[in-house]
Every structure is written in structure tokens, then in C-alpha cells.
Amino acid sequence: MTDAEAPQILIVDDARDIREPLGQYLRKQGYRTQLAANAGEARRTLDEARIALVILDIMMPGEDGLSLCRWLVEHRGPPIILLTAMADGTDQIVGLEMGADDYVTKPFNPRELLARIRAVLRRVPEPAAVVTSDRRRFGAWVHDPAAQSLVHDDGHSVDLTTGESRLMGIFLDHPATVLSRARLLDLTAGRDSKAYDRAIDNAVSRLRRKIEDDPARPVLIVTEWGGGYRLAAEVTLA
């Protein structure tokens, strides 16, 4: 496995003295890492990078880890290992009931956390191996949400980030429909959408660079001035 193929782990913890040393340790173990100090930074990273697993601190200022955990589960995000300083088990139980995959109590042994990371990743099938009936065609492309990719009729494929794949799926759910930025923010970012002023424009631009022959003159995802964006292609099951 090359460095570019190594699973990428997102560490979400407001304590710098935890997230940075943990990131360094996991990189030495062969993983790629992304670091976030709060839920807002975590959401932006999830939109921009392909994350295999999230290590999530429960106690954070602002939006706490349990709220972000709920959002990740609702949006079919990557598996989650919770970090908690609570010894009574209440938060762990709530998190597991929400859909988290495991938890570790602070202070923790990095080797124990590493073992739990490996165990969770072993239980999660590789995206490409997932059989799905949700593949949909638009224009000369087929969207494969399980693999988070787009496959062209000429055989070449492009990888999508989690956020890009989710956004593509929303357009495919609403073909020929004008979706305002506010509506797209609500569908993609949920209640934290206020933190994403230009996230939709940026995500649409990234998608266009991947699927349009001329991103400056898009014909698949078109702009409705004053309205938002519209998928201008027929959608069928692939």
C-alpha cells in the first residue's frame, strides 16, 4: 500500500496537546491524518477529503462530539471512535446507541487506540466491494455512491470526496430542479449550514472540474442566476 492509498483518519479534538501528538503517532503507524479542533473544521474536512475513520472527542466547546456523531451517522459518514473523559459510561452508551463504532476513555494508551482503529477498519468493507443498486446515470457518467466515484462511458473514473459524492447524489435526487444555495446547504450541512457561506459554490466548482468538458461553460450542472443550481441531464438507474 502506498502512502496515497493509506486510510485517512480524521482526529477531532479541541485539545491541541492530544490531537497533534496522536496525529504524529498514527502517521508513524502508516496512516494519513487530518486534524480538526471543532465540529465546523471537521465538517469542512469531511467535505474535502476521503476519510476512512473519525476519532471524535465528546466534550468540545460549541457543538459537542455527540451532536457531530449523530450528524455523521445520519449522513452515512465514516466509522467513529469516541474519545471521552467521562468514567461513568453514560456518554459512551449514548454514543454507541447513536451509531458510533467504539470508544476509548481518556487518558488512553495510544497502542490500545491503534488496536481499536485496526479492528474497526477490518469490520468496515472497502467501498468498492459494496454491492449497491444506487448507481445512477446522467449524461455520459455513472455515479457510484458506494465507491464515491464517477465512471465515464469511455471507461475512466474519477474519485469523489465524501462531500462531493453527497452533493452529486442530491443533484441526482432532484434532476431538472433548481436547488437554491440555502436548500443545498440544508441538505448537505444540516443545522450547521451557517458555517458554510461558500461551501456549495466551492463544491459545485470541484464537481464541474471533474465532470464537465469545459468547467467554465457547464452543461451538466448549470447555474440559475439568482436561483441556485440545476442538474440539466436525464437521470436513470445504471
Side-chain angles (χ1 to χ4, degrees):
M1 180 184 297
T2 66
D3 289 344
E5 295 172 332
Q8 190 162 209
I9 296 174
L10 172 59
I11 301 168
V12 189
D13 197 311
D14 63 300
R16 182 177 180 180
D17 60 345
I18 292 178
R19 67 176 183 273
E20 292 191 353
L22 179 56
Q24 293 174 0
Y25 174 76
L26 292 179
R27 285 192 291 275
K28 290 180 181 178
Q29 304 305 315
Y31 295 99
R32 294 179 295 154
T33 61
Q34 295 277 352
L35 309 181
N38 52 57
E41 290 183 11
R43 292 174 192 270
R44 286 189 286 275
T45 300
L46 287 159
D47 272 344
E48 297 169 359
R50 298 190 72 175
I51 300 298
L53 181 142
V54 179
I55 297 172
L56 178 58
D57 183 31
I58 289 180
M59 301 294 292
M60 294 189 296
E63 182 181 2
D64 64 20
L66 290 178
S67 174
L68 182 58
C69 175
R70 182 185 300 110
W71 182 85
L72 283 165
V73 172
E74 289 175 351
H75 289 80
R76 304 181 193 178
I80 305 160
I81 296 179
L82 297 173
L83 298 181
T84 174
M86 302 295 288
D88 64 4
T90 302
D91 284 344
Q92 296 96 307
I93 293 171
V94 172
L96 292 172
E97 288 177 342
M98 284 181 181
D101 297 83
D102 205 346
Y103 70 88
V104 174
T105 303
K106 296 179 179 180
F108 56 86
N109 184 324
R111 292 182 62 186
E112 177 190 355
L113 178 57
L114 177 63
R116 292 179 182 273
I117 289 170
R118 288 171 172 166
V120 170
L121 290 178
R122 281 196 299 269
R123 294 198 299 266
V124 178
E126 291 294 327
V130 177
V131 177
T132 177
S133 60
D134 293 332
R135 289 164 53 94
R136 288 177 287 183
R137 171 180 293 280
F138 65 102
W141 293 95
V142 171
H143 177 230
D144 186 340
Q148 289 187 193
S149 67
L150 291 165
V151 181
H152 194 271
D153 284 347
D154 65 11
H156 86 274
S157 64
V158 294
D159 290 334
L160 301 176
T161 68
T162 299
E164 290 166 356
S165 186
R166 185 164 63 243
L167 181 60
M168 190 72 254
I170 290 169
F171 279 121
L172 293 171
D173 288 340
H174 304 85
T177 301
V178 178
L179 297 173
S180 67
R181 288 174 178 81
R183 178 60 174 154
L184 288 169
L185 284 169
D186 181 60
L187 291 170
T188 57
R191 70 181 186 85
D192 195 50
S193 60
K194 292 181 180 178
Y196 284 74
D197 294 339
R198 294 192 58 81
I200 292 301
D201 291 337
N202 292 337
V204 169
S205 293
R206 291 197 300 269
L207 273 179
R208 283 172 169 169
R209 288 195 294 270
K210 294 182 177 183
I211 66 175
E212 300 280 3
D213 291 334
D214 182 357
R217 296 177 176 83
V219 297
L220 293 173
I221 301 177
V222 299
T223 302
E224 297 289 342
W225 299 110
Y229 297 101
R230 173 173 58 87
L231 178 65
E234 181 182 359
V235 177
T236 60
L237 291 177

